[in-house]
Amino acid sequence: MGLILAFVRVLFLTFLLVWYTDAGASNGYKVFNVKKYGAVSDGKTENNKAFLKAWSEACQWHGKAMVLIPRGVYILDSVLFLGECNGYMAFNLKGILKPKGSLQTSDQWITFRYIKGFFLGGGGTLDGEGYKHWNRHDCLKNHNCHPLAISLRLEFIQNGMVSHIRSINSQNAHMSLFGCVNLNMSNLRLSAPGDSPNTDGIKIGSSEEIKISKTRIGTGDDCVAILSGSKNINISQVHCGPGHGISVGSMGGEGSVTESVVGVTVKDCTFNGTSDGTRIKTWASSTTGVASNFIYENIRMMNVANPIIIDQDYCPYPPCDMKTPSRIQIKDITFNNIWGTSESNVAVTLNCSRTVPCKNILLKDISFFHGRGGSVRSLCSNARGTSYGRQRPPSCF
Ligand SMILES: *[C@@H]1O[C@H](CO)[C@@H](O)[C@H](O)[C@H]1NC(C)=O
Ligand SMILES: *[C@@H]1O[C@H](CO)[C@@H](O)[C@H](O)[C@H]1NC(C)=O
Ligand SMILES: *[C@@H]1O[C@H](CO)[C@@H](O)[C@H](O)[C@H]1NC(C)=O
Ligand SMILES: *[C@@H]1O[C@H](CO)[C@@H](O)[C@H](O)[C@H]1NC(C)=O
């Protein structure tokens, strides 16, 4: 009798489970499993058709829809997941995505565009397999050959969350945002070798209300790069290294008439073994604009070559010439409680433009030692501001 009861119970539970999965409801989401649309996770088959079919049905669903990618390795050609959709869209990535050998759109791999209400997460991985392409190292470094693919590109996403995603060995940037508003990114892990070319961690352009938190980035270029048109960018609890630090800019290198970045907070972050720490760079070019209202606070740096640096003479390659000073106004910048070891003997560089000197720079409690012992110094030109609290190196103000 007991055995039969147990059997009935198992049968009932199985039924419940099957019913639950079939109805595809999960936390109120209607689930669209790519495997049901023919996706094959063998690491060989290209899955664009199955993924796009799942996406398009989910996108038409009136309500919360979830595209589910179960565990396994899926090959994808460059792909565009396009909105607008009828309801909230979740992309629940449990598996590993890898790019097809040669991508149809060679500079973007996975793109999401025009989505209002978006979630990307699930603990899965984007593996760009960049090492297959980085051998064009010299031309990539000099920006004179066709760019490789950005792993994840988010365009015109409004009210979104990206969390618990890993990106490894992106060919170009790991993630790039354009035209996004109100996007929270957290618990990400982005990694590529320190000498991989142009592998920015997160690139932000023309976007507002972006939060990045609890994220580890070790890569070959900027950990975070904040570009023109960005407003209210909050970065906290980010660990950066290896990499080129958290950068605003470069601004003024695109040939646009005017560029601006307003409202950046970088708080409670650590840098380890990076070439730069907190950096603001503008090209020596005729572009006008403003970079203002930045707060850098509670930041620890270990063996960073240029811990605090404003560089308005940025001119890594033509067409700029060093004769045109930058016309971008840098102002209202606070550096508060920043400490650690510097790899160079210049821990604070404020190299501002002679046409528009930096204004209202505030240095408070800055404390650096040279990584190999000895003292560090500040190097400033055309910078105006004030300092108080501990100042090591001695401040220019
Ligand atoms: C992002 O975080 C902020 C503050 O923590 C919150 O107000 C906002 O609603 C969040 N946005 C999304 C899309 O979850
Ligand atoms: C960003 O940080 C600033 C200053 O700490 C704060 O006023 C603002 O509300 C934050 N914005 C978001 C979107 O979290
Ligand atoms: C900094 O990086 C070095 C080299 O990768 C590593 O050995 C060290 O443990 C790191 N330090 C911290 C505090 O993370
Ligand atoms: C700072 O500016 C001077 C010229 O004013 C230049 O010689 C120097 O290389 C600059 N340093 C950095 C780190 O940009």
Side-chain angles (χ1 to χ4, degrees):
M1 194 62 192
L3 205 65
I4 290 173
L5 255 179
F7 179 71
V8 167
R9 242 164 90 173
V10 166
L11 207 68
F12 179 68
L13 284 176
T14 311
F15 166 78
L16 261 186
L17 193 72
V18 167
W19 173 78
Y20 179 81
T21 350
D22 250 24
S26 172
N27 287 328
Y29 283 99
K30 166 82 173 170
V31 176
F32 298 83
N33 184 335
V34 290
K35 289 216 149 169
K36 294 214 166 142
Y37 293 84
V40 183
S41 59
D42 60 358
K44 293 193 192 88
T45 313
E46 188 209 297
N47 288 292
N48 282 45
K49 237 176 132 176
F51 274 57
L52 284 168
K53 189 98 200 330
W55 175 266
S56 119
E57 289 198 11
C59 186
Q60 281 160 41
W61 182 253
H62 288 266
K64 289 165 72 180
M66 178 197 291
V67 175
L68 173 67
I69 299 94
R71 282 173 202 282
V73 180
Y74 303 82
I75 305 294
L76 284 178
D77 195 350
S78 34
V79 59
L80 170 62
F81 297 108
L82 187 63
E84 310 226 325
C85 296
N86 286 325
Y88 189 89
M89 291 294 288
F91 197 89
N92 191 356
L93 176 65
K94 306 262 179 223
I96 299 168
L97 306 183
K98 292 190 178 190
K100 203 177 133 185
S102 118
L103 296 171
Q104 201 171 16
T105 310
S106 58
D107 58 354
Q108 288 181 214
W109 179 30
I110 299 167
T111 304
F112 291 90
R113 184 184 295 159
Y114 300 134
I115 303 157
K116 290 179 178 154
F118 175 64
F119 170 82
L120 167 62
T125 300
L126 310 178
D127 178 356
E129 297 188 321
Y131 46 83
K132 293 183 176 169
H133 306 269
W134 295 327
N135 52 9
R136 293 192 297 152
H137 205 278
D138 288 339
C139 73
L140 287 168
K141 271 245 182 313
N142 296 323
H143 296 255
N144 61 7
C145 56
H146 193 80
L148 296 171
I150 293 162
S151 278
L152 175 69
R153 172 99 170 150
L154 302 175
E155 299 177 357
F156 308 100
I157 306 295
Q158 249 180 59
N159 308 331
M161 256 165 77
V162 179
S163 72
H164 295 99
I165 289 289
R166 245 182 122 92
S167 168
I168 61 175
N169 297 325
S170 56
Q171 300 173 12
N172 191 321
H174 292 266
M175 299 184 177
S176 162
L177 277 47
F178 188 83
C180 296
V181 179
N182 186 19
L183 192 64
N184 293 346
M185 311 177 80
S186 67
N187 296 288
L188 307 175
R189 293 178 80 96
L190 314 180
S191 64
D195 62 356
S196 54
N198 303 327
T199 51
D200 284 321
I202 303 175
K203 246 173 134 153
I204 305 170
S206 301
S207 295
E208 296 179 20
E209 311 300 326
I210 308 297
K211 256 178 60 177
I212 302 172
S213 60
K214 300 186 183 114
T215 286
R216 290 188 75 87
I217 306 172
T219 198
D221 207 325
D222 294 337
C223 287
V224 180
I226 302 164
L227 305 174
S228 180
S230 300
K231 207 174 144 188
N232 298 339
I233 311 297
N234 283 20
I235 299 170
S236 62
Q237 295 179 63
V238 167
H239 176 83
C240 169
H244 295 180
I246 295 182
S247 297
V248 171
S250 39
M251 293 172 69
E254 304 292 333
S256 5
V257 176
T258 182
E259 294 192 5
S260 77
V261 173
V262 176
V264 173
T265 306
V266 179
K267 227 172 168 170
D268 306 323
C269 292
T270 55
F271 295 75
N272 187 2
T274 55
S275 61
D276 303 273
T278 59
R279 174 164 63 158
I280 304 171
K281 52 179 174 174
T282 73
W283 284 64
S285 78
S286 60
T287 303
T288 61
V290 64
S292 72
N293 296 79
F294 300 173
I295 300 170
Y296 298 98
E297 198 165 60
N298 306 334
I299 295 172
R300 177 177 178 206
M301 305 210 193
M302 292 155 277
N303 304 317
V304 172
N306 304 294
I308 293 176
I309 175 164
I310 293 178
D311 177 8
Q312 293 211 268
D313 283 329
Y314 188 67
C315 185
Y317 46 87
C320 63
D321 58 50
M322 297 300 289
K323 293 183 194 92
T324 325
S326 171
R327 292 175 63 199
I328 292 180
Q329 171 78 73
I330 296 177
K331 61 175 185 180
D332 306 326
I333 316 287
T334 297
F335 297 95
N336 180 17
N337 194 29
I338 305 186
W339 77 101
T341 52
S342 174
E343 273 296 287
S344 71
N345 57 17
V346 183
V348 178
T349 307
L350 305 177
N351 235 1
C352 297
S353 165
R354 75 186 129 86
T355 357
V356 277
C358 297
K359 284 199 300 209
N360 195 23
I361 310 278
L362 173 62
L363 293 163
K364 178 171 182 275
D365 294 319
I366 306 296
S367 179
F368 281 95
F369 288 97
H370 197 293
R372 289 182 297 272
S375 59
V376 288
R377 60 196 180 96
S378 302
L379 192 87
C380 306
S381 48
N382 308 306
R384 319 260 152 87
T386 50
S387 64
Y388 58 96
R390 181 197 297 261
Q391 294 295 327
R392 192 166 47 215
S395 142
C396 301
F397 306 133

